[in-house]
Amino acid sequence: MSRKVKAFVKKISSVIFCGLVYIFLFLPIVVIIVNSFNATTSKPYQTWKGFTFDWYIKLFDNSTLLESFSATMTVAIISTLLSTAIGTIAAVGMYKYKFKGKNIIDGLLYIPVVIPEIVLGISLLTLFSNTHIPRGMLTLVLAHTTFSIPYVIFNVRARLSGYDNSIEEASMDLGANRIATFKNITLPVLAPGIGAGALLAFTLSIDDVIVSYFTNGQVKTFPLKVMESIKSGVAPDVNALSTLILLGTIVLVILTQSNLFKKAK
């Protein structure tokens, strides 16, 4: 077999392999999108009965589903803001200052990341029960903030790697106080890491099921609502809302990437 034939076979094999990987990753998403246009009205909603947009209209009449989505976004936004603020301050403090027990705290940060979610969920449930905090929106926000903080810290610390402290010293030598220096010098440098940590925290929050299951009380988030509907079959209006969320995510990614591309130019 000639070299050209071997190279061609290798190239085709790579294309086929990549294609299978992408099919494996995106086929479930395609199924959700297709089922959102399914005209069937009988459970388990798996039989294709025709094409329709009715489920996108009926979606806005399903108050329970919309309330679950609203609860998800509320918890995600609040927990993201809290975890981003706490994580950024913690990362900067641990980078700049030396104190006893710093290595221990550094090691403890990995626990919420590496332990199984069910263990974290049971631990938080036990904590809230022992402290007599009623489960609901507050416990959901506290739980999501807890497991999101380490991810923010890791991203900000990665940005701090190789950070030159002399620029802060130069700023203060020129008359700026610590607050002005942090606002005008440190914060812009850390912005990419803070943004990455915030996006990761937001994604983890809206996607969480297990921790939310143990700490939600009577508040039903969208992932929990979907999990409940699996027993009787996921209704097409759930698929319709999932499709709209996916569309919004794609638009956000396109806008973000286009802005980054413009800045790179």
Side-chain angles (χ1 to χ4, degrees), residues 103-236:
N103 292 332
I104 297 176
I105 295 175
D106 191 24
L108 291 175
L109 288 173
Y110 291 92
I111 292 180
V113 177
V114 299
I115 65 172
E117 281 191 280
I118 190 170
V119 176
L120 179 61
I122 294 173
S123 301
L124 290 169
L125 173 60
T126 303
L127 174 64
F128 295 143
S129 298
N130 291 338
T131 54
H132 305 290
I133 300 177
R135 287 187 295 160
M137 184 65 71
L138 176 60
T139 54
L140 271 174
V141 170
L142 292 175
H144 285 220
T145 302
T146 299
F147 68 68
S148 296
I149 287 175
Y151 294 94
V152 177
I153 293 176
F154 296 151
N155 278 278
V156 176
R157 283 174 58 179
R159 186 64 180 173
L160 283 167
S161 179
Y163 178 70
D164 188 3
N165 289 320
S166 63
I167 58 176
E168 292 185 355
E169 296 173 359
S171 174
M172 288 186 285
D173 288 341
L174 293 172
N177 57 29
R178 290 188 177 275
I179 296 177
T181 299
F182 180 80
K183 178 182 176 181
N184 299 316
I185 304 297
T186 309
L187 195 59
V189 174
L190 299 181
I194 296 173
L199 288 174
L200 187 56
F202 183 79
T203 302
L204 290 171
S205 178
I206 63 175
D207 188 49
D208 182 76
V209 175
I210 298 177
V211 176
S212 298
Y213 177 79
F214 286 99
T215 59
N216 70 311
Q218 299 300 318
V219 179
K220 295 295 181 182
T221 60
F222 180 62
L224 291 176
K225 184 67 178 177
V226 173
M227 186 178 68
E228 287 182 353
S229 65
I230 290 175
K231 299 176 183 178
S232 58
V234 179

Side-chain angles (χ1 to χ4, degrees), residues 22-174:
Y22 277 106
I23 290 173
F24 177 78
L25 291 174
F26 292 105
L27 185 59
I29 298 176
V30 173
V31 172
I32 289 175
I33 296 173
V34 171
N35 282 337
S36 69
F37 298 102
N38 191 358
T40 184
T41 56
S42 58
K43 297 180 179 180
Y45 307 108
Q46 298 298 322
T47 305
W48 180 262
K49 293 295 182 63
F51 185 89
T52 182
F53 285 101
D54 290 347
W55 291 109
Y56 286 87
I57 300 173
K58 294 178 181 179
L59 165 64
F60 296 98
D61 295 327
N62 191 337
S63 59
T64 305
L65 186 60
L66 294 178
E67 287 174 3
S68 68
F69 177 70
S70 176
T72 298
M73 296 304 296
T74 301
V75 172
I77 291 172
I78 296 175
S79 64
T80 298
L81 292 174
L82 290 175
S83 61
T84 301
I86 296 172
T88 301
I89 295 172
V92 174
M94 293 182 67
Y95 174 78
K96 287 189 174 184
Y97 304 105
K98 295 181 180 180
F99 51 88
K100 290 183 178 181
K102 179 179 178 179
N103 292 332
I104 297 176
I105 295 175
D106 191 24
L108 291 175
L109 288 173
Y110 291 92
I111 292 180
V113 177
V114 299
I115 65 172
E117 281 191 280
I118 190 170
V119 176
L120 179 61
I122 294 173
S123 301
L124 290 169
L125 173 60
T126 303
L127 174 64
F128 295 143
S129 298
N130 291 338
T131 54
H132 305 290
I133 300 177
R135 287 187 295 160
M137 184 65 71
L138 176 60
T139 54
L140 271 174
V141 170
L142 292 175
H144 285 220
T145 302
T146 299
F147 68 68
S148 296
I149 287 175
Y151 294 94
V152 177
I153 293 176
F154 296 151
N155 278 278
V156 176
R157 283 174 58 179
R159 186 64 180 173
L160 283 167
S161 179
Y163 178 70
D164 188 3
N165 289 320
S166 63
I167 58 176
E168 292 185 355
E169 296 173 359
S171 174
M172 288 186 285
D173 288 341
L174 293 172

